[in-house]
Amino acid sequence: MRRPVAMLLIFVLGFTLTGCTGDELGFLSAVEKSAAMTSWRVVGEYGATMSCEIPEEEKAYMSVNMNSVLKALSAFKIKTDTTVLNTGDGMKGAVEYTFAAEDISFKSNVYLDIADDKFVETFKIPTLYRMFLPEEHENAEYMVMDLTELASFADEMGIPLTLNVGKQAYKAKMEKLQTALVKFQSDYAKTVKNAPSIITKKGSQYTLTLNDATLKLLLKSIADTYFEEESARQLTKDAVLEVITFYRGILPDEDLDEMEDEVSDFFDQDEWELAAGKALSDEFFAFLNKFPLLGDKGLSITYTLDRQGYITKVEGFADILIDVNAIAKATDGYVYDDAFNFKFLFSFKEEYTDVNSVKSVQLPTLTDDNSLSYVDMLRDLIEERTYEYRYEDYTYEPDYVLPAPDGSISVIMYGDKIDFGGKQPLMIDGTLYVPFEELVARHGYRFYWDDAANMMLFGRQFDLIRDAKLPPYGNTIYYNDFEVKLAKDVVVIDNYIYVPLRTFAAAILWLDVTWVDEENAAYIHY
């Protein structure tokens, strides 16, 4: 059964423990021991307090009050109750999920049953969803996903699956891989140098503490160790090869042989390649230091051990900060005058009981009447969609006429005619010019006039072209560290910037333009 979030953090952070003080060695031992638990029950609770600061000019683009949305989400808590039992020849598990606020709640259950040649995952259908079930399944309480059925269905669809996760051989390989990866994390941790100590011990508790500075220093120490310690590179190489070995018998051997050769080539680096990689790593961490990842509270997780050395309680918090202005400044993007950030304070608590002592897991009794096969539903859905999307009688009727009755030039983009807001495309000396603002807005870009720079800034969040700069004269557009030269100069008409369509679309939008003379129209397309 999937391990809860906080336990997964152990494995993510396991290889980051450095310096290997007595406290950290003890914690690593507890991690390895807890990874080998054969059964357990864990009750978890997860929540978050979320807020944001958004400039007024940015709010104009939002259809909702983002702070109201985040406050509403902050009112919800997620609670889980999980029981897992490894039976030796398989696994059984049950999870109850509750997503609740003071005046509303949502609950569901998931069950897992694995044995030789069998892997069945069962979902309890929430009451609200049952009203959407078709007549033949109106009594269904459970949806059943049988991977043996799913593999057979995939084969019918021409997508053969050689993987059977119910096979004992598969489970043995999975356990071997999990053990190898946990050992890799532990062994790698012992090679890392020059990193802050982040684990403290008090009685039977280990506490992991990070602030923004120590997190970045820790990550850099891990990366530096890879480039400076041959043993760390060998451990990493061995771990990657273990993953490839796991897929033997699942993927074609010739593909895996090629992957092993590529992995060996990648890790067998000479001194020059290592120095170049280290330089790139240093550059990345210098960039990372330009904006925060954690808020003022940082991250703290406390692990409590029982007398046998198993982790039986995990609780803590993570203060995540997304400072949009700081990120924009680091990437030479647009920086707002007002604060622009998102703050997320996540909290969690998990308590383990019945470690290695669970005797049984109660699974639901499934019948043809109370359960619905996921594969059958998928098959019905595909047949329904295949019927619905027959296009032989379909014709597209645009809501515009070409050529335009008034003789104006039309510009068609993504099948629609661009509305230039009362302005018109113009043919100037044989070149088609269009109003800049409506063109880039139709492509999903936003634009801002920068009075100080006397330029139009435009771009799209997370786009390759970010805050490009367009002067209202000449033929040069500036973005990132490059300059783009248009074939013709931009022009200003009635205080609006017009750009030459074909060259602007190709250079900035990465689109082509086709002119259709009889329609007096230009089509923008890929």
Side-chain angles (χ1 to χ4, degrees), residues 3 7 30 33-43 82-86 304-313 350-359:
R3 290 182 181 270
M7 281 295 285
K33 185 165 187 175
S34 296
M37 291 191 304
T38 59
S39 66
W40 65 87
R41 181 188 177 201
V42 56
V43 176
T82 304
T83 303
V84 176
L85 171 63
N86 284 288
T304 302
L305 276 58
D306 64 10
R307 292 180 179 179
Q308 286 74 42
Y310 291 104
I311 295 174
T312 57
K313 185 177 181 181
E350 296 169 355
E351 295 190 64
Y352 288 75
T353 58
D354 301 331
V355 173
N356 294 338
S357 62
V358 174
K359 302 301 182 184

Side-chain angles (χ1 to χ4, degrees), residues 15-31:
F15 67 89
T16 68
L17 306 179
T18 58
C20 284
T21 63
D23 290 347
E24 290 166 346
L25 286 171
F27 180 73
L28 288 171
S29 176
V31 168

Side-chain angles (χ1 to χ4, degrees), residues 12-18 188 192-198 210-228 278 281-282 284-286 288-289 291-294 299:
V12 174
L13 294 169
F15 67 89
T16 68
L17 306 179
T18 58
Y188 194 103
V192 181
K193 302 175 181 177
N194 302 321
S197 179
I198 60 173
L210 288 167
N211 58 32
D212 189 69
T214 55
L215 172 63
K216 292 170 182 174
L217 181 57
L218 190 59
L219 295 174
K220 188 174 188 309
S221 298
I222 296 167
D224 287 349
T225 296
Y226 174 84
F227 293 107
E228 296 170 359
K278 177 67 164 58
S281 175
D282 290 344
F284 169 76
F285 283 104
L288 204 61
N289 282 327
F291 53 88
L293 300 175
L294 296 178
L299 180 149

Side-chain angles (χ1 to χ4, degrees), residues 376-411:
D376 288 346
M377 186 191 71
L378 194 61
R379 183 181 283 109
D380 292 343
L381 184 63
I382 290 174
E383 291 176 357
E384 180 182 329
R385 288 290 184 265
T386 301
Y387 176 81
E388 286 183 0
Y389 293 111
R390 293 176 180 171
Y391 291 111
E392 55 265 27
D393 298 326
Y394 177 79
T395 56
Y396 173 65
E397 297 292 342
D399 59 357
Y400 52 84
V401 177
L402 296 177
D406 61 2
S408 62
I409 296 172
S410 300
V411 178

Side-chain angles (χ1 to χ4, degrees), residues 31-322:
V31 168
E32 293 188 35
K33 185 165 187 175
S34 296
M37 291 191 304
T38 59
S39 66
W40 65 87
R41 181 188 177 201
V42 56
V43 176
E45 181 173 325
Y46 316 88
T49 301
M50 299 174 272
S51 64
C52 63
E53 294 179 286
I54 301 177
E56 291 298 325
E57 59 186 295
E58 187 68 21
K59 289 180 181 178
Y61 293 99
M62 297 181 176
S63 58
V64 297
N65 180 353
M66 187 56 66
N67 253 320
S68 295
V69 172
L70 295 179
K71 286 180 180 178
L73 291 175
S74 298
F76 284 90
K77 302 294 181 193
I78 299 174
K79 297 181 180 181
T80 64
D81 190 340
T82 304
T83 303
V84 176
L85 171 63
N86 284 288
T87 61
D89 59 350
M91 175 187 288
K92 296 183 184 297
V95 186
E96 180 178 277
Y97 297 93
T98 304
F99 184 64
E102 182 179 352
D103 56 348
I104 188 174
S105 66
F106 173 90
K107 184 167 72 172
S108 185
N109 299 74
V110 179
Y111 306 93
L112 191 65
D113 188 7
I114 303 176
D116 199 26
D117 292 329
K118 180 175 74 171
F119 187 113
V120 178
E121 195 160 7
T122 303
F123 306 87
K124 188 172 178 62
I125 303 172
T127 303
L128 286 176
Y129 286 178
R130 293 180 200 169
M131 67 178 69
F132 300 106
L133 292 174
E135 183 177 355
E136 61 268 28
H137 300 299
E138 61 186 20
N139 295 320
E141 298 178 46
Y142 303 97
M143 178 176 290
V144 181
M145 185 171 69
D146 186 325
L147 288 200
T148 302
E149 285 186 16
L150 185 61
S152 177
F153 175 68
D155 191 55
E156 292 175 23
M157 302 300 294
I159 315 170
L161 297 178
T162 59
L163 171 64
N164 188 336
V165 294
K167 289 282 188 182
Q168 282 296 107
Y170 171 86
K171 292 198 288 292
K173 290 175 66 174
M174 175 59 78
E175 290 172 1
K176 182 175 182 293
L177 177 62
Q178 290 175 337
T179 300
L181 292 180
V182 171
K183 188 175 186 304
F184 156 69
Q185 294 166 354
S186 178
D187 289 346
Y188 194 103
K190 297 167 186 175
T191 69
V192 181
K193 302 175 181 177
N194 302 321
S197 179
I198 60 173
I199 291 287
T200 56
K201 183 177 186 294
K202 184 177 181 180
S204 62
Q205 291 184 331
Y206 290 91
T207 299
L208 182 152
T209 306
L210 288 167
N211 58 32
D212 189 69
T214 55
L215 172 63
K216 292 170 182 174
L217 181 57
L218 190 59
L219 295 174
K220 188 174 188 309
S221 298
I222 296 167
D224 287 349
T225 296
Y226 174 84
F227 293 107
E228 296 170 359
E229 298 292 331
E230 184 178 354
S231 60
R233 294 194 295 276
Q234 186 63 48
L235 286 168
T236 308
K237 177 181 177 180
D238 291 343
V240 175
L241 291 175
E242 281 282 357
V243 175
I244 294 175
T245 300
F246 170 78
Y247 284 98
R248 292 283 178 188
I250 300 173
L251 299 177
D253 280 344
E254 57 269 24
D255 293 345
L256 295 172
D257 290 341
E258 184 178 343
M259 290 174 64
E260 284 188 347
D261 291 340
E262 291 175 353
V263 168
S264 296
D265 290 341
F266 176 82
F267 284 101
D268 294 340
Q269 297 173 311
D270 59 28
E271 291 185 5
W272 184 90
E273 290 171 319
L274 288 171
K278 177 67 164 58
L280 286 174
S281 175
D282 290 344
E283 184 178 334
F284 169 76
F285 283 104
F287 166 76
L288 204 61
N289 282 327
K290 294 180 180 180
F291 53 88
L293 300 175
L294 296 178
D296 293 338
K297 294 184 178 180
L299 180 149
S300 178
I301 308 174
T302 297
Y303 303 89
T304 302
L305 276 58
D306 64 10
R307 292 180 179 179
Q308 286 74 42
Y310 291 104
I311 295 174
T312 57
K313 185 177 181 181
V314 185
E315 60 182 327
F317 60 83
D319 185 8
I320 309 298
L321 173 63
I322 302 175

